[in-house]
Amino acid sequence: MSKKVLDSYLKAKEQYLEHDIDTEEVLKTLDTVSLSIHCWQADDVTGFESVQAGLDSSGLQVTGNYPGKSRNIDELRMDLNKAFSLIPGDHRLSLHASYGDFNMGFPGRDKISPDQFESWVEWAKTKNINIDFNSTFFAHPNVKNGYTLASKENEIRSYWIEHGKRCREISAFIGKELGSRCIHNIWIPDGSKDITPSRYEHRSLLKDSLDKMCDEKIPADQMTDSVEAKLFGIGSEAFVVGSHEFYMGYAIENNMMLTLDIGHFHPTESVADKVSSAFLFVDELLLHVTRGIRWDSDHIVTFNDQLTELMQEIVWTGKLDKVNLGLDFFDATVNRIGAYAIGARNTQKALLLALLMPTNKMIEYENMGKYFERLALFEEFKTKPLGAVWDYYCLSKNVPVGEKYIAEIQKYEKEILSKRI
Ligand code: RNT
Ligand code: ZN
């Protein structure tokens, strides 16, 4: 098996070298890129609060009831271990505030502290994994008529401002403990199902709440905030307070990171095209890699144009080191570990494709006005032996090559997941 992989790789390497593309260098670059792997695919965004506090766990729309979802912190960690073992390279964990260690009790979202995340930090240290964080502004009784930070009610806003402050403190704790800056992602569901004359008011309130919430300066090597926009959601079809324009403005004004979720725009709008503009005004981006389908935004990432074009733009903009790649999808109709493996591996593969493009030659053609040649080369490279390079990368990283991970997942399902009833 490995000899076959190696032989194919060596042939592929030669082919790319003919175009001055050094696959060894490319793989070294790919290896520097850590994905921030979301904890919430393993349990359909349930988290660990409800068991303790009897809170409503709904909020984001997750459909399906495939057996085997993780039911507690130990099962989740076990599943994450499995998922990480199928993804080549070193990666991060993206944790939601609702996934704290509440075995000693759940104090409430406005009272959580590093105490509930110590065991995660310990876990991460033993696994050599760094952690990013997300405040949880959904699935809670204080989401009042669909609003949190942008609510017209003072107490509601105050509650969520406090939650955000707690989360920033926790993020800083995590970043400091692990010695790796923790990104604190902020997404709120606020919006309205139908027309409202209060858009300006809600957006003013959001701006004010964010100012208060992020008021404390925290060293950038510990944590940094990133703000995530959305076009619409289920139940907020007519109006979402945190729109793209809102957060683009907010991020620029406050020198913050901007999160672009691929599924949060019009279906025909290119998120790839936003990268170059955003980088003229913000230093860093967090991408939520996902797949939008029609009105829904959270399907398992496939190797489609949305994804490959985005990765190309990142490489072409020369900002790979300023892009943070987080995964964000949740599908409860399939084996959930399988979902992780497919989505994460496709993200890496798409980046690999972008790194293996003859970019310099394309620019050369372009500068000579040779546009047919530019397009022809681009099209030809779509079917160059990317797979052989990818397989070799997986082999060298000691993870299943090609579709071999299917059997690994089936085994895990048989031995572990199927017993969770
Ligand atoms: C929701 C946003 C957000 C969430 C996670 C769970 O539309 O994409 O990022 O998916 O916080
Ligand atoms: Zn997202």
Side-chain angles (χ1 to χ4, degrees):
M1 172 60 187
S2 55
K3 187 174 178 309
K4 259 201 216 157
V5 172
L6 193 63
D7 286 349
S8 305
Y9 170 67
L10 292 174
K11 282 193 194 116
K13 182 177 167 174
E14 248 174 63
Q15 271 198 56
Y16 283 109
L17 261 183
E18 282 168 26
H19 296 270
D20 293 327
I21 297 163
D22 183 344
T23 50
E24 300 288 328
E25 283 305 312
V26 163
L27 287 181
K28 263 189 219 152
T29 306
L30 180 68
D31 209 36
T32 61
V33 178
S34 295
L35 304 179
S36 191
I37 296 172
H38 57 319
C39 66
W40 52 92
Q41 163 62 55
D43 75 338
D44 316 337
V45 209
T46 307
F48 308 131
E49 294 174 340
S50 50
V51 192
Q52 303 291 336
L55 296 175
D56 170 19
S57 300
S58 66
L60 289 167
Q61 299 283 325
V62 188
T63 47
N65 55 1
Y66 196 84
K69 107 181 199 179
S70 75
R71 298 164 300 182
N72 53 52
I73 203 163
D74 295 329
E75 288 182 356
L76 181 78
R77 285 176 185 162
M78 192 191 258
D79 289 356
L80 289 171
N81 281 341
K82 188 71 210 174
F84 274 77
S85 76
L86 303 171
I87 305 163
D90 297 324
H91 302 287
R92 306 172 67 88
L93 172 68
S94 177
L95 206 56
H96 239 289
S98 49
Y99 287 75
D101 186 338
F102 305 130
N103 285 323
M104 304 292 281
F106 172 58
R109 291 213 188 143
D110 57 339
K111 301 218 167 49
I112 49 170
S113 74
D115 290 352
Q116 289 83 38
F117 294 88
E118 247 165 43
S119 79
W120 273 115
V121 166
E122 289 317 310
W123 176 84
K125 280 182 184 164
T126 62
K127 306 273 165 209
N128 224 347
I129 287 172
N130 293 314
I131 298 181
D132 295 312
F133 204 68
N134 304 262
S135 31
T136 312
F137 291 97
F138 51 83
H140 192 279
N142 277 356
V143 181
K144 193 85 181 287
N145 301 322
Y147 290 96
T148 63
L149 289 177
S151 168
K152 290 189 191 179
E153 290 178 46
N154 197 13
E155 307 88 272
I156 296 294
R157 288 200 310 283
S158 301
Y159 178 85
W160 290 109
I161 289 170
E162 196 48 40
H163 173 63
K165 285 181 187 247
R166 306 281 99 241
C167 289
R168 295 183 82 240
E169 186 196 333
I170 295 163
S171 302
F173 162 76
I174 291 173
K176 202 164 144 196
E177 281 290 316
L178 296 177
S180 170
R181 190 236 4 224
C182 173
I183 300 177
H184 170 229
N185 187 57
I186 303 166
W187 173 76
I188 62 167
D190 297 35
S192 171
K193 188 180 177 73
D194 221 324
I195 51 159
T196 164
S198 306
R199 287 170 192 260
Y200 186 75
E201 185 183 353
H202 282 298
R203 288 189 170 131
S204 312
L205 289 167
L206 177 55
K207 185 167 182 280
D208 185 65
S209 292
L210 287 170
D211 288 348
K212 292 190 170 116
M213 182 177 124
C214 301
D215 165 46
E216 196 189 325
K217 292 277 160 283
I218 299 177
D221 59 342
Q222 293 178 13
M223 68 82 69
T224 189
D225 300 290
S226 192
V227 283
E228 179 179 6
K230 191 166 179 169
L231 178 65
F232 80 96
I234 308 290
S236 61
E237 289 83 356
F239 169 56
V240 163
V241 185
S243 61
H244 181 55
E245 295 72 14
F246 178 92
Y247 281 126
M248 181 93 189
Y250 196 83
I252 293 169
E253 190 172 84
N254 294 284
N255 207 7
M256 262 186 195
M257 197 185 289
L258 184 69
T259 305
L260 296 177
D261 182 307
I262 310 181
H264 285 190
F265 296 87
H266 286 284
T268 56
E269 199 173 351
S270 163
V271 178
D273 185 47
K274 299 180 191 302
V275 172
S276 49
S277 299
F279 270 126
L280 289 168
F281 305 100
V282 300
D283 288 338
E284 275 187 79
L285 289 178
L286 169 60
L287 294 175
H288 268 188
V289 183
T290 183
R291 174 169 46 120
I293 293 195
R294 304 190 192 280
W295 62 85
D296 198 4
S297 64
D298 303 298
H299 285 67
I300 302 168
V301 171
T302 57
F303 194 78
N304 61 9
D305 287 353
Q306 267 181 356
L307 184 67
T308 55
E309 285 167 12
L310 179 61
M311 294 303 162
Q312 274 151 17
E313 267 311 317
I314 293 168
V315 171
W316 289 342
T317 307
K319 295 281 188 185
L320 185 55
D321 59 332
K322 295 288 179 191
V323 166
N324 303 279
L325 293 171
L327 304 182
D328 183 13
F329 49 82
F330 26 95
D331 188 337
T333 66
V334 298
N335 180 304
R336 295 169 182 79
I337 317 302
Y340 275 123
I342 295 173
R345 290 169 67 115
N346 273 334
T347 304
Q348 292 177 292
K349 223 190 263 181
L351 176 57
L352 179 60
L353 177 71
L355 292 167
L356 288 171
M357 278 285 164
T359 305
N360 292 337
K361 191 77 195 167
M362 285 173 66
I363 295 173
E364 231 175 79
Y365 280 142
E366 181 171 282
N367 292 345
M368 294 188 293
K370 297 191 172 192
Y371 302 132
F372 146 71
E373 290 85 345
R374 179 185 62 184
L375 181 61
L377 202 58
F378 179 69
E379 288 301 301
E380 280 308 311
F381 267 73
K382 286 182 177 172
T383 47
K384 289 266 185 264
L386 163 75
V389 182
W390 169 252
D391 285 350
Y392 172 74
Y393 180 59
C394 288
L395 184 72
S396 71
K397 290 278 138 186
N398 237 336
V399 307
V401 171
E403 67 281 6
K404 287 269 182 284
Y405 70 89
I406 298 175
E408 286 275 329
I409 285 164
Q410 286 172 333
K411 183 163 174 269
Y412 189 72
E413 177 165 288
K414 189 159 174 252
E415 289 170 3
I416 311 278
L417 301 178
S418 66
K419 309 223 158 95
R420 290 181 189 167
I421 10 164

